[in-house]
Amino acid sequence: MTRFPAFRLAAVQAAPVFLDPAASTEKACRLIREAAARGAALAAFGEAWLPGFPFFLGAPMDEAFWRASAEYIASAVEVPGPETDRLCRAACEAGIDVAIGVVERDPRTLGTVWCTALLIGGREGAIIGRHRKLKPTHRERTIWGDGPDGSGLRAHQRPYARVSALSCYEHMMLLPGYALVAQGTQVHVAGWPGWEPAEAPRGGYLWPRQTLLSRAFAAQGACYVLCVGGLRRREDVPERFRGLCGPDMTGDSLIIDPRGEVIAGPAEGETILVAGVSLEAVAAAKAVCDVAGHYARPDVFEVRVDGQPLAVASAVTTQGVHRPEGIRPNRDKLPEPI
């Protein structure tokens, strides 16, 4: 008799400490320990969780907007960096894998941030996957840069399953998801800002549709999906910027089975949503429809993914500085930062 791996998945729905990477990291470590104590093999956080989704995007582009933008870039994290090192230690100490959205600052220019999904291995205590969101949506483009390449489109083999991750409207793009399904993903983390409106405003557009797109991904990919929404209430935003805050993000996280059925959630408030799962359900769903296998038509369609890392400048050379003989730099007289 075949024995299929059975394990538990955790969707962590909680507000970060906005614009405070150190405090957000500390809170994430506590939540990681709580998820591990509940027996989860994988704990997943929402999009841009560390140190928070850019709550000010819908505000007028006045002086307060630009102050918030500057603080947002300053509070982003570098990968690797002290915050991610701390998350790796927490995952290793708890013995649990962690998928978490971070706002990643480009260490080369210090002026661009990406919406990045990290996968941290609990056994290794290390970052094993990093995917930068390929295309920010709508007003997100005013603060996030395009992911520079497809090197992070990977399904990672873990002891319990193959795991992948995308952010928000990457699930609308079709091809990134297909690239992961073609690698046999069995557990997929769909990170969202955390807002599922009941109805569209009059004459408006209903978005982000996180439930619909996450359920579709689960059914098409024949995989479990952790639809993890962020949580943001007005009181969670620093008081100095509350005038810029858009509508509350209510989370609405779900865990979805390989047939697209909701098996846990929607979550309310700060909570950790946990569900027991088995790869037997994945195998059964793929037996019916494996969209990158027996349900594909390679004679008609071909999908090519460029997974090579790219860089704007691979090497920068500068000429030496000419200094007259006998003159040495006097760094003691350099002004101190104010």
Side-chain angles (χ1 to χ4, degrees):
M1 178 178 177
T2 302
R3 293 186 178 274
F4 292 93
F7 49 97
R8 292 167 73 82
L9 298 172
V12 179
Q13 180 170 290
V17 184
F18 281 89
L19 303 181
D20 190 332
S24 292
T25 301
E26 190 59 36
K27 182 172 183 177
C29 291
R30 174 176 60 80
L31 294 166
I32 287 167
R33 292 190 292 269
E34 290 182 16
R38 296 182 61 180
L42 170 67
F45 293 71
E47 180 184 38
W49 197 90
L50 175 63
F53 188 82
F55 54 86
F56 50 88
L57 291 184
M61 299 178 98
D62 56 13
E63 184 179 351
F65 175 93
W66 292 115
R67 284 202 308 270
S69 298
E71 271 199 50
Y72 194 75
I73 289 176
S75 63
V77 302
E78 294 185 9
V79 181
E83 294 84 8
T84 61
D85 288 349
R86 182 73 185 89
L87 293 173
C88 288
R89 286 195 296 273
C92 187
E93 290 166 2
I96 185 173
D97 288 353
V98 176
I100 186 168
V102 304
V103 183
E104 179 190 0
R105 185 173 55 242
D106 183 348
R108 183 180 58 88
T109 69
L110 303 179
T112 292
V113 294
W114 298 296
C115 174
T116 298
L118 297 180
L119 180 62
I120 297 170
R123 289 191 172 190
E124 300 87 346
I127 297 169
I128 58 175
R130 175 176 64 175
H131 172 63
R132 295 158 172 165
K133 189 175 183 179
L134 294 170
K135 175 60 68 175
T137 301
H138 197 37
R139 292 191 180 104
E140 293 172 356
R141 298 172 198 166
T142 65
I143 195 69
W144 291 340
D146 287 356
D149 54 54
S151 61
L153 287 172
R154 298 281 187 272
H156 301 273
Q157 183 65 60
R158 305 306 296 154
Y160 49 92
R162 290 185 188 176
V163 180
S164 61
L166 293 174
S167 297
C168 198
Y169 260 32
E170 286 188 307
H171 296 88
M172 187 74 91
M173 293 174 69
L174 298 181
L175 294 182
Y178 191 84
L180 298 174
V181 173
Q183 296 174 55
T185 186
Q186 296 166 314
V187 173
H188 178 73
V189 177
W192 297 86
W195 178 41
E196 188 67 290
E199 58 184 27
R202 188 172 182 178
Y205 177 56
L206 185 63
W207 73 292
R209 305 299 292 272
Q210 65 185 48
T211 299
L212 175 67
L213 292 173
S214 297
R215 291 185 67 179
F217 191 103
Q220 291 177 317
C223 60
Y224 288 100
V225 170
L226 287 154
C227 170
V228 195
L231 187 67
R232 189 205 68 216
R233 299 145 299 195
R234 182 168 293 273
E235 60 266 27
D236 296 320
V237 174
E239 186 174 358
R240 62 190 179 279
F241 290 132
R242 285 179 188 168
L244 304 177
C245 191
D248 285 358
M249 299 293 186
T250 51
D252 304 314
S253 300
L254 306 164
I255 299 177
I256 304 163
D257 77 7
R259 295 182 299 173
E261 300 297 332
V262 175
I263 58 174
E268 296 183 3
E270 292 218 353
T271 187
I272 299 177
L273 198 63
V274 177
V277 301
S278 169
L279 290 191
E280 182 177 6
V282 174
K286 287 188 181 291
V288 175
C289 183
D290 184 2
V291 298
H294 63 75
Y295 226 74
R297 285 293 304 274
D299 55 328
V300 179
F301 304 107
E302 179 183 3
V303 177
R304 184 181 67 85
V305 180
D306 186 348
Q308 293 299 314
L310 300 175
V312 173
S314 58
V316 177
T317 58
T318 58
Q319 294 181 342
V321 176
H322 172 71
R323 183 178 295 115
E325 186 176 353
I327 295 179
R328 296 181 180 180
N330 189 345
R331 293 182 174 84
D332 292 337
K333 292 186 177 181
L334 292 177
E336 294 294 329
I338 298 174

